[in-house]
Each structure stands twice: as C-alpha cells, then as structure tokens.
Coordinates of all heavy atoms in Angstrom, one line a residue:
M271 N 51.8 70.6 92.8 CA 53.2 70.9 92.8 C 53.5 72.1 91.7 O 52.9 72.0 90.8 CB 53.9 69.6 92.5 CG 55.4 69.9 92.4 SD 56.3 68.2 92.2 CE 57.6 68.5 93.3
Y272 N 54.4 72.9 92.1 CA 54.7 74.0 91.2 C 56.2 74.2 91.2 O 57.0 73.8 92.0 CB 53.9 75.4 91.5 CG 54.3 76.0 92.8 CD1 55.3 76.9 92.9 CD2 53.7 75.6 94.0 CE1 55.6 77.4 94.1 CE2 54.0 76.2 95.2 CZ 55.1 77.1 95.2 OH 55.4 77.7 96.4
A273 N 56.6 75.0 90.2 CA 58.1 75.3 90.1 C 58.2 76.7 89.5 O 57.3 77.2 88.7 CB 58.8 74.2 89.2
V274 N 59.4 77.3 89.8 CA 59.7 78.6 89.1 C 60.9 78.3 88.3 O 61.9 77.9 88.7 CB 60.0 79.7 90.1 CG1 60.5 81.0 89.4 CG2 58.8 80.0 91.1
I275 N 60.7 78.6 87.0 CA 61.7 78.2 85.9 C 62.2 79.5 85.4 O 61.5 80.5 85.4 CB 61.1 77.2 84.8 CG1 60.0 77.9 84.0 CG2 60.7 76.0 85.4 CD1 59.6 77.2 82.8
K276 N 63.4 79.3 84.7 CA 64.0 80.6 84.0 C 64.3 80.2 82.7 O 65.0 79.2 82.5 CB 65.3 80.9 84.8 CG 66.0 82.1 84.3 CD 67.4 82.4 85.0 CE 68.2 83.3 84.2 NZ 69.5 83.4 84.8
T277 N 63.7 80.9 81.6 CA 64.0 80.7 80.4 C 63.8 82.0 79.6 O 63.0 82.7 79.7 CB 63.2 79.6 79.7 OG1 63.4 79.4 78.3 CG2 61.6 79.8 79.9
G278 N 64.8 82.2 78.6 CA 64.7 83.4 77.9 C 64.9 84.7 78.6 O 64.4 85.7 78.3
G279 N 65.5 84.6 79.8 CA 65.9 85.8 80.6 C 64.8 86.2 81.4 O 64.7 87.2 82.1
K280 N 63.6 85.4 81.5 CA 62.4 85.7 82.3 C 62.2 84.5 83.1 O 62.6 83.3 83.0 CB 61.2 85.9 81.5 CG 61.4 87.1 80.5 CD 60.2 87.3 79.6 CE 60.4 88.4 78.7 NZ 61.4 88.3 77.7
Q281 N 61.4 84.7 84.3 CA 61.0 83.7 85.3 C 59.5 83.4 85.2 O 58.8 84.4 85.0 CB 61.4 84.1 86.6 CG 62.8 84.3 86.8 CD 63.2 84.8 88.3 OE1 62.4 84.9 89.1 NE2 64.5 85.2 88.4
Y282 N 59.1 82.2 85.2 CA 57.7 81.9 85.1 C 57.4 80.7 86.2 O 58.1 79.9 86.6 CB 57.4 81.1 83.7 CG 57.8 81.9 82.6 CD1 59.0 81.8 82.0 CD2 56.9 82.8 82.0 CE1 59.3 82.6 80.9 CE2 57.1 83.5 81.0 CZ 58.2 83.4 80.4 OH 58.6 84.3 79.2
R283 N 56.2 80.9 86.8 CA 55.7 80.1 87.8 C 54.8 79.0 87.0 O 53.9 79.4 86.4 CB 54.9 80.7 88.9 CG 54.4 79.8 90.0 CD 53.4 80.6 90.9 NE 53.1 79.8 92.2 CZ 52.0 78.9 92.1 NH1 51.2 78.8 91.0 NH2 51.7 78.4 93.2
V284 N 55.3 77.7 87.1 CA 54.4 76.7 86.3 C 54.0 75.5 87.1 O 54.5 75.3 88.2 CB 55.3 76.2 85.2 CG1 55.8 77.3 84.1 CG2 56.6 75.5 85.7
A285 N 52.9 74.9 86.7 CA 52.4 73.7 87.2 C 52.2 72.7 86.1 O 51.9 73.1 84.9 CB 51.2 74.0 88.1
A286 N 52.0 71.5 86.5 CA 51.7 70.4 85.4 C 50.3 70.7 84.8 O 49.4 71.1 85.4 CB 51.7 69.1 86.1
G287 N 50.4 70.5 83.4 CA 49.1 70.8 82.6 C 48.9 72.1 82.1 O 48.0 72.4 81.4
E288 N 49.8 73.1 82.6 CA 49.7 74.5 82.1 C 50.3 74.7 80.8 O 51.1 73.9 80.3 CB 50.3 75.5 83.1 CG 49.6 75.7 84.3 CD 50.3 76.7 85.3 OE1 51.4 77.2 85.0 OE2 49.7 77.1 86.3
K289 N 49.6 75.7 80.0 CA 50.2 76.1 78.8 C 50.8 77.6 79.1 O 50.3 78.3 79.7 CB 49.2 76.2 77.7 CG 48.6 75.0 77.3 CD 47.6 75.1 76.2 CE 46.9 73.8 75.9 NZ 45.9 73.9 74.9
L290 N 52.0 77.8 78.4 CA 52.6 79.2 78.6 C 53.4 79.5 77.2 O 53.8 78.5 76.7 CB 53.3 79.4 79.8 CG 54.8 78.7 79.8 CD1 55.6 79.6 80.7 CD2 54.6 77.4 80.6
K291 N 53.5 80.8 77.0 CA 54.3 81.2 75.9 C 55.6 81.8 76.4 O 55.5 82.7 77.3 CB 53.5 82.3 75.0 CG 52.3 81.7 74.4 CD 51.6 82.8 73.5 CE 50.5 82.2 72.9 NZ 49.7 83.3 72.1
V292 N 56.7 81.2 76.0 CA 58.0 81.7 76.3 C 58.7 82.3 75.2 O 58.3 82.1 74.0 CB 58.8 80.6 77.0 CG1 58.1 80.1 78.3 CG2 59.1 79.5 76.1
E293 N 59.9 82.9 75.3 CA 60.7 83.4 74.2 C 61.1 82.1 73.4 O 61.2 80.9 73.9 CB 62.1 84.0 74.9 CG 61.8 85.2 75.6 CD 61.4 86.4 74.7 OE1 61.8 86.6 73.6 OE2 60.5 87.2 75.2
Q294 N 61.4 82.4 72.2 CA 61.6 81.3 71.1 C 62.7 80.3 71.6 O 63.8 80.7 71.9 CB 61.9 81.8 69.8 CG 61.8 80.8 68.7 CD 61.9 81.4 67.3 OE1 62.6 82.4 67.2 NE2 61.3 80.7 66.4
I295 N 62.3 79.0 71.5 CA 63.2 77.9 71.8 C 63.4 77.2 70.6 O 62.4 76.8 69.9 CB 62.7 77.0 72.9 CG1 62.6 77.7 74.3 CG2 63.6 75.8 73.1 CD1 61.9 77.0 75.3
P296 N 64.6 76.9 70.0 CA 64.9 76.2 68.8 C 64.5 74.7 69.0 O 65.3 73.8 69.3 CB 66.2 76.4 68.4 CG 66.9 76.7 69.7 CD 65.9 77.3 70.5
A297 N 63.1 74.3 68.7 CA 62.7 72.9 68.8 C 61.5 72.8 68.0 O 60.8 73.7 67.6 CB 62.2 72.6 70.3
D298 N 61.3 71.5 67.4 CA 60.3 71.2 66.6 C 58.9 71.0 67.3 O 58.9 70.8 68.5 CB 60.5 69.9 65.7 CG 61.8 70.1 64.8 OD1 62.0 71.1 64.2 OD2 62.4 69.0 64.6
V299 N 57.7 71.4 66.6 CA 56.5 71.2 67.1 C 56.3 69.7 67.4 O 56.6 68.8 66.6 CB 55.4 71.7 66.2 CG1 54.1 71.4 66.8 CG2 55.6 73.2 65.9
G300 N 55.7 69.4 68.7 CA 55.6 68.1 69.2 C 56.8 67.4 69.9 O 56.7 66.4 70.5
A301 N 57.9 68.2 69.9 CA 59.1 67.6 70.5 C 59.0 67.9 72.1 O 58.4 68.8 72.6 CB 60.3 68.4 70.1
E302 N 59.6 66.9 72.9 CA 59.6 67.1 74.4 C 60.9 67.7 74.6 O 62.0 67.1 74.2 CB 59.4 65.7 75.0 CG 58.1 65.2 74.9 CD 57.8 64.0 75.9 OE1 58.7 63.7 76.8 OE2 56.8 63.4 75.8
I303 N 60.9 68.7 75.5 CA 62.0 69.4 75.9 C 62.2 69.3 77.4 O 61.2 69.1 78.1 CB 62.2 70.8 75.5 CG1 61.0 71.7 76.0 CG2 62.2 70.9 74.0 CD1 61.2 73.0 75.7
T304 N 63.4 69.3 78.0 CA 63.7 69.5 79.4 C 64.2 70.7 79.7 O 65.2 71.3 79.2 CB 64.6 68.3 79.7 OG1 64.1 67.1 79.3 CG2 64.8 68.2 81.3
L305 N 63.6 71.4 80.7 CA 64.0 72.7 81.2 C 64.7 72.5 82.5 O 64.2 71.9 83.5 CB 62.8 73.6 81.4 CG 62.0 74.0 80.2 CD1 60.7 74.6 80.5 CD2 62.8 74.7 79.2
D306 N 65.9 72.9 82.7 CA 66.8 72.4 83.8 C 67.1 73.6 84.7 O 67.8 73.5 85.7 CB 68.0 71.6 83.5 CG 68.9 72.4 82.4 OD1 68.4 73.5 82.0 OD2 70.0 71.9 82.1
Q307 N 66.8 74.8 84.4 CA 67.0 76.0 85.2 C 65.9 76.2 86.1 O 65.0 77.0 85.8 CB 67.4 77.2 84.3 CG 68.7 77.1 83.6 CD 69.1 78.5 83.0 OE1 68.3 79.3 82.7 NE2 70.5 78.7 82.8
I308 N 65.8 75.5 87.2 CA 64.8 75.5 88.2 C 65.1 76.3 89.5 O 66.2 76.0 90.0 CB 64.3 74.1 88.5 CG1 64.2 73.2 87.3 CG2 63.1 74.3 89.4 CD1 63.2 73.7 86.4
L309 N 64.5 77.4 89.6 CA 64.9 78.3 90.7 C 64.2 77.9 92.1 O 64.8 78.1 93.2 CB 64.5 79.8 90.5 CG 65.1 80.2 89.1 CD1 64.6 81.6 88.8 CD2 66.7 80.3 89.2
M310 N 63.0 77.4 92.0 CA 62.3 77.0 93.2 C 61.2 75.9 92.9 O 60.7 75.9 91.7 CB 61.6 78.2 93.7 CG 60.8 78.0 95.1 SD 60.2 79.5 95.6 CE 58.5 79.3 95.0
V311 N 61.1 75.0 93.8 CA 60.1 73.8 93.8 C 59.3 73.9 94.9 O 59.8 74.0 96.1 CB 60.7 72.6 93.5 CG1 59.7 71.4 93.4 CG2 61.6 72.6 92.1
G312 N 57.9 73.9 94.8 CA 57.1 73.9 96.0 C 56.0 73.0 95.9 O 55.4 72.7 94.8
E313 N 55.5 72.4 97.0 CA 54.5 71.5 97.1 C 53.8 71.7 98.4 O 54.3 71.2 99.5 CB 54.9 70.0 96.8 CG 53.6 69.1 96.8 CD 54.1 67.8 96.3 OE1 55.3 67.4 96.3 OE2 53.2 66.8 96.1
G314 N 52.6 72.4 98.5 CA 52.0 72.6 99.7 C 52.8 73.5 100.6 O 53.2 74.7 100.2
E315 N 53.1 73.1 101.8 CA 54.0 74.0 102.7 C 55.4 73.8 102.4 O 56.2 74.6 102.9 CB 53.6 73.6 104.2 CG 52.1 73.9 104.5 CD 51.9 75.3 104.5 OE1 52.7 76.1 105.0 OE2 50.8 75.8 103.9
S316 N 55.8 72.7 101.8 CA 57.3 72.5 101.7 C 57.7 73.3 100.3 O 57.2 73.1 99.3 CB 57.6 71.0 101.5 OG 57.0 70.5 100.4
V317 N 58.8 73.9 100.5 CA 59.5 74.7 99.4 C 60.9 74.5 99.4 O 61.6 74.5 100.4 CB 59.2 76.2 99.6 CG1 59.8 77.0 98.5 CG2 57.6 76.5 99.6
K318 N 61.4 74.2 98.2 CA 62.9 74.1 98.0 C 63.4 75.3 97.1 O 62.8 75.5 96.0 CB 63.2 72.8 97.2 CG 63.3 71.5 98.1 CD 63.9 70.5 97.2 CE 63.2 69.2 97.5 NZ 63.6 68.2 96.6
I319 N 64.3 76.0 97.7 CA 64.8 77.3 96.9 C 66.2 77.0 96.6 O 67.0 76.6 97.6 CB 64.6 78.5 97.9 CG1 63.3 78.7 98.2 CG2 65.3 79.7 97.2 CD1 62.9 79.9 99.1
G320 N 66.6 77.2 95.4 CA 68.0 77.0 95.0 C 68.8 78.2 95.3 O 68.3 79.3 95.6
A321 N 70.1 77.9 95.1 CA 71.2 78.9 95.3 C 72.2 78.9 94.2 O 73.3 78.4 94.5 CB 71.7 78.8 96.7
P322 N 71.9 79.3 93.0 CA 70.7 79.9 92.5 C 69.8 78.9 91.9 O 68.6 79.2 91.6 CB 71.2 80.8 91.4 CG 72.4 80.2 90.9 CD 73.1 79.5 92.0
L323 N 70.3 77.7 91.6 CA 69.3 76.6 91.1 C 69.1 75.4 91.9 O 70.0 75.1 92.7 CB 69.9 76.0 89.7 CG 70.3 77.2 88.7 CD1 71.0 76.5 87.5 CD2 69.0 77.8 88.1
V324 N 68.0 74.8 91.9 CA 67.7 73.7 92.7 C 68.4 72.4 91.9 O 68.1 72.1 90.7 CB 66.2 73.4 92.7 CG1 65.9 72.0 93.4 CG2 65.5 74.5 93.4
S325 N 69.2 71.7 92.6 CA 70.0 70.7 92.1 C 69.1 69.4 91.9 O 68.2 69.1 92.7 CB 71.3 70.2 93.0 OG 70.9 69.9 94.2
G326 N 69.3 68.8 90.8 CA 68.4 67.6 90.4 C 67.1 67.9 90.0 O 66.3 66.8 89.7
A327 N 66.7 69.0 90.0 CA 65.2 69.3 89.5 C 65.2 69.6 88.0 O 66.2 70.1 87.4 CB 64.7 70.5 90.3
S328 N 64.0 69.2 87.4 CA 63.8 69.5 86.0 C 62.4 69.5 85.7 O 61.5 69.1 86.5 CB 64.5 68.4 85.1 OG 63.8 67.2 85.3
V329 N 62.0 70.1 84.6 CA 60.7 70.3 84.1 C 60.6 69.8 82.7 O 61.4 70.2 81.8 CB 60.1 71.8 84.1 CG1 58.8 71.8 83.6 CG2 60.0 72.2 85.6
K330 N 59.6 68.9 82.5 CA 59.5 68.2 81.1 C 58.2 69.0 80.4 O 57.2 69.2 81.2 CB 59.1 66.8 81.2 CG 60.2 66.0 81.8 CD 60.7 65.0 80.8 CE 61.8 64.1 81.5 NZ 63.0 64.3 81.1
A331 N 58.4 69.5 79.2 CA 57.5 70.2 78.5 C 57.4 69.7 77.1 O 58.4 69.2 76.5 CB 57.8 71.7 78.5
T332 N 56.2 69.9 76.5 CA 56.0 69.5 75.1 C 55.8 70.9 74.3 O 55.0 71.7 74.8 CB 54.8 68.7 74.9 OG1 55.0 67.5 75.7 CG2 54.6 68.2 73.4
V333 N 56.4 71.0 73.1 CA 56.3 72.2 72.2 C 54.9 72.1 71.5 O 54.8 71.1 70.8 CB 57.5 72.3 71.3 CG1 57.2 73.5 70.4 CG2 58.7 72.5 72.1
L334 N 54.1 73.0 71.7 CA 52.8 73.0 71.1 C 52.8 73.8 69.8 O 52.1 73.3 68.8 CB 51.7 73.5 72.0 CG 51.4 72.7 73.2 CD1 50.3 73.4 74.0 CD2 51.0 71.4 73.0
A335 N 53.4 74.9 69.7 CA 53.4 75.8 68.6 C 54.7 76.7 68.6 O 55.2 77.0 69.7 CB 52.2 76.6 68.5
Q336 N 55.0 77.2 67.4 CA 56.0 78.2 67.2 C 55.2 79.3 66.5 O 54.5 79.1 65.6 CB 57.2 77.8 66.4 CG 57.8 76.6 67.0 CD 59.0 77.0 67.9 OE1 59.1 78.1 68.4 NE2 59.8 76.0 68.2
G337 N 55.4 80.6 66.9 CA 54.7 81.7 66.3 C 55.1 83.0 66.7 O 56.4 83.1 67.1
R338 N 54.4 84.0 66.4 CA 54.8 85.4 66.5 C 53.6 86.2 67.2 O 52.5 86.0 66.9 CB 55.2 86.1 65.2 CG 56.3 85.4 64.5 CD 56.6 86.1 63.2 NE 57.6 87.2 63.6 CZ 57.9 88.1 62.7 NH1 57.5 88.1 61.5 NH2 58.7 89.1 63.2
H339 N 54.1 86.9 68.2 CA 53.0 87.8 68.9 C 52.4 88.8 68.0 O 53.0 89.1 66.8 CB 53.6 88.4 70.1 CG 53.9 87.5 71.3 ND1 52.8 87.0 72.1 CD2 55.0 87.1 71.8 CE1 53.4 86.4 72.9 NE2 54.7 86.2 73.0
D340 N 51.4 89.5 68.5 CA 50.9 90.7 67.8 C 52.0 91.7 67.6 O 52.8 91.8 68.3 CB 49.6 91.2 68.4 CG 48.5 90.2 68.4 OD1 48.5 89.3 67.5 OD2 47.7 90.3 69.3
K341 N 51.7 92.6 66.6 CA 52.7 93.7 66.3 C 52.5 94.7 67.4 O 51.4 95.2 67.8 CB 52.4 94.4 65.0 CG 53.4 95.5 64.7 CD 53.2 96.0 63.3 CE 54.2 95.1 62.3 NZ 54.4 95.7 61.1
V342 N 53.7 95.2 68.0 CA 53.8 96.4 68.9 C 54.2 97.5 68.1 O 55.3 97.5 67.4 CB 54.8 96.0 70.0 CG1 54.8 97.2 70.9 CG2 54.4 94.8 70.8
K343 N 53.5 98.6 68.1 CA 53.8 99.8 67.3 C 54.4 100.8 68.2 O 54.0 101.2 69.3 CB 52.5 100.4 66.8 CG 51.8 99.5 65.7 CD 50.6 100.1 65.2 CE 50.0 99.2 64.1 NZ 48.5 99.6 63.8
I344 N 55.6 101.3 67.7 CA 56.4 102.3 68.4 C 56.3 103.7 67.6 O 56.5 103.6 66.4 CB 57.7 101.8 68.5 CG1 58.0 100.6 69.3 CG2 58.7 102.9 69.1 CD1 58.5 99.4 68.4
F345 N 55.9 104.7 68.3 CA 55.7 106.0 67.6 C 56.4 107.1 68.5 O 56.1 107.2 69.6 CB 54.2 106.3 67.4 CG 54.0 107.7 66.7 CD1 54.4 108.0 65.4 CD2 53.5 108.6 67.5 CE1 54.0 109.0 64.9 CE2 53.3 109.9 67.0 CZ 53.5 110.1 65.6
K346 N 57.4 107.7 67.8 CA 58.2 108.6 68.5 C 57.8 110.1 67.8 O 57.9 110.1 66.5 CB 59.7 108.4 68.5 CG 60.1 107.1 69.2 CD 61.5 106.9 69.3 CE 61.9 105.7 70.0 NZ 63.3 105.4 70.1
M347 N 57.7 111.1 68.6 CA 57.5 112.4 68.1 C 58.0 113.5 69.0 O 58.0 113.3 70.2 CB 55.9 112.6 67.9 CG 55.5 113.9 67.2 SD 53.7 114.0 67.1 CE 53.4 115.0 68.6
R348 N 58.5 114.5 68.3 CA 58.9 115.7 69.1 C 58.0 116.8 68.6 O 57.8 117.1 67.4 CB 60.4 116.1 68.7 CG 61.4 115.1 69.0 CD 61.8 115.1 70.5 NE 62.9 114.3 70.8 CZ 62.7 113.2 71.4 NH1 61.6 112.6 71.6 NH2 63.8 112.3 71.7
R349 N 57.3 117.3 69.5 CA 56.3 118.3 69.2 C 57.0 119.7 68.6 O 58.1 120.1 69.1 CB 55.4 118.7 70.2 CG 56.0 119.3 71.5 CD 55.1 119.5 72.6 NE 55.7 120.2 73.7 CZ 55.1 120.9 74.6 NH1 53.6 121.0 74.4 NH2 55.6 121.5 75.5
R350 N 56.4 120.2 67.6 CA 56.9 121.5 66.9 C 58.2 121.3 66.2 O 58.8 122.4 65.8 CB 56.9 122.6 68.0 CG 55.5 122.9 68.7 CD 55.7 124.1 69.6 NE 56.7 124.1 70.6 CZ 56.6 123.6 71.8 NH1 55.4 123.2 72.1 NH2 57.6 123.6 72.6
K351 N 58.8 120.2 66.2 CA 60.1 120.0 65.5 C 60.1 119.3 64.2 O 61.0 119.0 63.6 CB 61.0 119.3 66.5 CG 61.2 120.0 67.8 CD 61.8 121.2 67.7 CE 62.0 121.9 69.1 NZ 62.3 123.3 69.0
H352 N 58.8 118.8 63.8 CA 58.6 118.2 62.5 C 59.4 116.9 62.5 O 60.2 116.4 61.5 CB 59.0 119.0 61.2 CG 58.4 118.5 60.0 ND1 57.0 118.6 59.8 CD2 58.9 117.9 58.9 CE1 56.8 118.0 58.6 NE2 58.0 117.7 58.0
Y353 N 59.4 116.1 63.7 CA 60.0 114.8 63.8 C 59.0 113.8 64.1 O 58.3 113.9 65.2 CB 61.1 114.9 64.8 CG 61.7 113.6 65.3 CD1 62.7 113.0 64.5 CD2 61.4 112.9 66.4 CE1 63.2 111.8 64.8 CE2 61.8 111.7 66.8 CZ 62.9 111.1 66.0 OH 63.3 109.9 66.4
Q354 N 58.8 112.8 63.3 CA 58.0 111.6 63.6 C 58.8 110.4 63.2 O 59.3 110.3 62.1 CB 56.8 111.7 62.9 CG 55.8 112.8 63.5 CD 54.4 112.7 62.8 OE1 54.2 112.0 61.9 NE2 53.6 113.6 63.4
K355 N 58.7 109.3 64.0 CA 59.3 108.1 63.6 C 58.3 106.9 63.9 O 57.9 106.8 65.0 CB 60.6 107.9 64.4 CG 61.4 106.7 64.0 CD 62.7 106.6 64.9 CE 63.4 105.3 64.6 NZ 64.7 105.3 65.3
H356 N 58.2 106.1 63.0 CA 57.2 104.9 63.2 C 58.1 103.6 63.1 O 59.0 103.6 62.3 CB 56.1 104.9 62.0 CG 55.3 106.0 61.9 ND1 54.1 106.1 62.7 CD2 55.3 107.2 61.2 CE1 53.6 107.3 62.4 NE2 54.4 107.9 61.6
Q357 N 57.8 102.7 64.0 CA 58.5 101.4 64.0 C 57.6 100.4 64.6 O 56.7 100.7 65.4 CB 59.7 101.6 64.9 CG 60.7 100.3 64.8 CD 61.9 100.6 65.7 OE1 62.1 101.7 66.2 NE2 62.8 99.5 65.7
G358 N 57.7 99.1 64.0 CA 57.0 98.0 64.5 C 57.9 96.9 64.9 O 59.0 96.7 64.5
H359 N 57.4 96.0 65.8 CA 58.0 94.8 66.2 C 57.2 93.7 66.5 O 56.0 93.8 67.1 CB 58.9 95.1 67.5 CG 59.6 94.0 68.0 ND1 60.7 93.6 67.6 CD2 59.4 93.2 69.1 CE1 61.2 92.5 68.2 NE2 60.4 92.2 69.2
R360 N 57.5 92.4 66.1 CA 56.8 91.3 66.4 C 57.7 90.3 67.0 O 58.7 89.9 66.4 CB 56.1 90.6 65.1 CG 55.0 91.4 64.6 CD 54.3 90.7 63.5 NE 53.6 89.6 63.9 CZ 53.0 88.7 63.2 NH1 53.0 88.9 61.9 NH2 52.3 87.8 63.7
Q361 N 57.4 89.9 68.2 CA 58.4 89.0 68.9 C 58.0 87.6 68.7 O 56.9 87.1 68.6 CB 58.3 89.2 70.4 CG 59.3 88.5 71.3 CD 60.7 88.9 71.1 OE1 60.9 90.2 70.8 NE2 61.6 88.1 71.2
N362 N 59.0 86.7 68.5 CA 58.8 85.3 68.3 C 58.5 84.6 69.6 O 59.0 85.0 70.6 CB 60.0 84.5 67.6 CG 60.2 85.1 66.2 OD1 59.3 85.4 65.5 ND2 61.5 85.3 65.9
Y363 N 57.7 83.5 69.6 CA 57.5 82.7 70.8 C 57.4 81.3 70.6 O 57.2 80.8 69.5 CB 56.3 83.3 71.6 CG 54.8 83.0 70.9 CD1 54.3 81.7 71.1 CD2 54.3 83.9 70.0 CE1 53.1 81.4 70.4 CE2 53.1 83.5 69.4 CZ 52.6 82.3 69.6 OH 51.4 82.0 68.9
T364 N 57.5 80.6 71.6 CA 57.2 79.0 71.7 C 56.1 78.8 72.8 O 56.4 79.2 73.8 CB 58.5 78.3 72.0 OG1 59.5 78.7 71.0 CG2 58.3 76.9 71.9
E365 N 55.2 78.1 72.3 CA 54.1 77.8 73.2 C 54.4 76.4 73.8 O 54.6 75.3 73.0 CB 52.8 77.7 72.5 CG 51.6 77.6 73.6 CD 50.2 77.9 73.0 OE1 50.1 78.0 71.8 OE2 49.2 77.6 73.7
L366 N 54.3 76.3 75.1 CA 54.8 75.0 75.8 C 53.6 74.6 76.6 O 52.8 75.3 77.1 CB 55.9 75.2 76.7 CG 57.3 75.7 76.1 CD1 58.3 75.8 77.2 CD2 57.8 74.7 75.2
R367 N 53.5 73.1 76.7 CA 52.5 72.6 77.8 C 53.4 71.9 78.8 O 54.3 71.0 78.3 CB 51.6 71.5 77.1 CG 50.6 70.9 78.1 CD 49.8 69.9 77.6 NE 50.5 68.7 77.0 CZ 50.4 68.3 75.7 NH1 49.6 68.9 74.8 NH2 51.2 67.3 75.4
I368 N 53.2 72.1 80.0 CA 54.1 71.5 81.0 C 53.5 70.2 81.4 O 52.3 70.2 81.8 CB 54.1 72.4 82.4 CG1 54.6 73.9 81.9 CG2 54.9 71.8 83.4 CD1 55.9 74.1 81.4
D369 N 54.3 69.1 81.2 CA 54.0 67.8 81.4 C 54.2 67.3 82.8 O 53.4 66.6 83.5 CB 54.6 66.8 80.4 CG 54.2 67.2 79.0 OD1 53.0 67.6 78.8 OD2 55.0 67.0 78.1
A370 N 55.5 67.5 83.3 CA 55.8 67.0 84.6 C 56.9 67.8 85.3 O 57.7 68.5 84.6 CB 56.3 65.5 84.5
I371 N 56.9 67.8 86.6 CA 58.0 68.4 87.4 C 58.6 67.5 88.3 O 58.0 66.8 89.0 CB 57.3 69.6 88.3 CG1 56.6 70.7 87.3 CG2 58.4 70.2 89.2 CD1 55.8 71.6 88.2
N372 N 59.9 67.3 88.0 CA 60.7 66.3 88.8 C 61.5 67.1 89.8 O 62.4 68.0 89.4 CB 61.6 65.6 87.8 CG 60.8 64.9 86.8 OD1 59.7 64.3 87.0 ND2 61.2 64.9 85.6
A373 N 61.4 66.8 91.0 CA 62.2 67.6 92.1 C 63.2 66.7 92.7 O 62.9 65.5 93.0 CB 61.2 68.1 93.2

C-alpha cells in the first residue's frame, strides 16, 4: 500500500517502513505525527484519488531527526564588469519514518 502526501509545498510517494526527509515540521524527535493531506492512496490495482484530498485518509509517521542539509553555494558573476556575489544556504529538514497508512 502506498500514498501520495503533501507537506511543505511538495508531494511525496510513501509506503509503510520508508524514511524520508521533508521540509521542517515543528515536532520533537521521537514524536508521532499524523499527516492528513493525502492526495492519493493505492493498493495493487485499486487507486483512490482525492479531489483534491482523499477524505478519511491519514498517514502516521515518527520523527527520527531534525537537521540541516548540506550547504548550497550560490555564485553570481557578470563577466568583464567586476561583479561577483557569493551566497550560501542550508535548508532545515525533518526526517520521518512512515509507520502506517490509513485509508
């Protein structure tokens, strides 16, 4: 069984037992959270598609870690104009383990 969830403005295809990194969710490490924005649930040949959300569906997940991704370096330059700009960015994330999908 799998589901397509929406969190942090992105969509993820998840199944029970998987680990994934999503945009930061304000929750403590070890806490169980419920994701209720389910766009699609599928099992074998049967698929339920929401319009836009599947009613009554939810995904239970456990927070494994809170952290920051590797630094992304941004470098802008205009040739022959003596213009260079350096910038860096580290995005926060929450690592989740999907425990159960309730359809």
Side-chain angles (χ1 to χ4, degrees):
M271 181 174 223
Y272 66 93
V274 175
I275 62 171
K276 179 180 163 190
T277 179
K280 298 177 181 69
Q281 298 175 10
Y282 302 93
R283 182 186 189 271
V284 298
E288 286 185 352
K289 292 181 186 177
L290 75 148
K291 292 180 180 178
V292 298
E293 296 291 322
Q294 188 174 33
I295 297 171
D298 296 328
V299 175
E302 285 195 11
I303 61 172
T304 303
L305 303 168
D306 56 351
Q307 290 192 331
I308 312 301
L309 303 174
M310 185 176 93
V311 176
E313 184 172 14
E315 294 295 317
S316 63
V317 174
K318 283 188 210 172
I319 299 175
L323 302 176
V324 177
S325 61
S328 65
V329 171
K330 300 243 185 251
T332 304
V333 177
L334 297 178
Q336 300 277 10
R338 301 182 82 188
H339 284 290
D340 294 333
K341 181 173 275 195
V342 176
K343 293 180 181 168
I344 298 112
F345 178 68
K346 296 182 179 181
M347 185 180 91
R348 299 278 187 262
R349 62 183 187 158
R350 301 186 305 269
K351 304 299 180 193
H352 199 67
Y353 169 80
Q354 290 183 353
K355 183 178 179 181
H356 300 272
Q357 187 176 359
H359 176 73
R360 289 186 71 187
Q361 186 69 31
N362 296 325
Y363 70 85
T364 300
E365 188 172 2
L366 300 175
R367 181 182 65 233
I368 306 300
D369 296 328
I371 299 172
N372 305 318

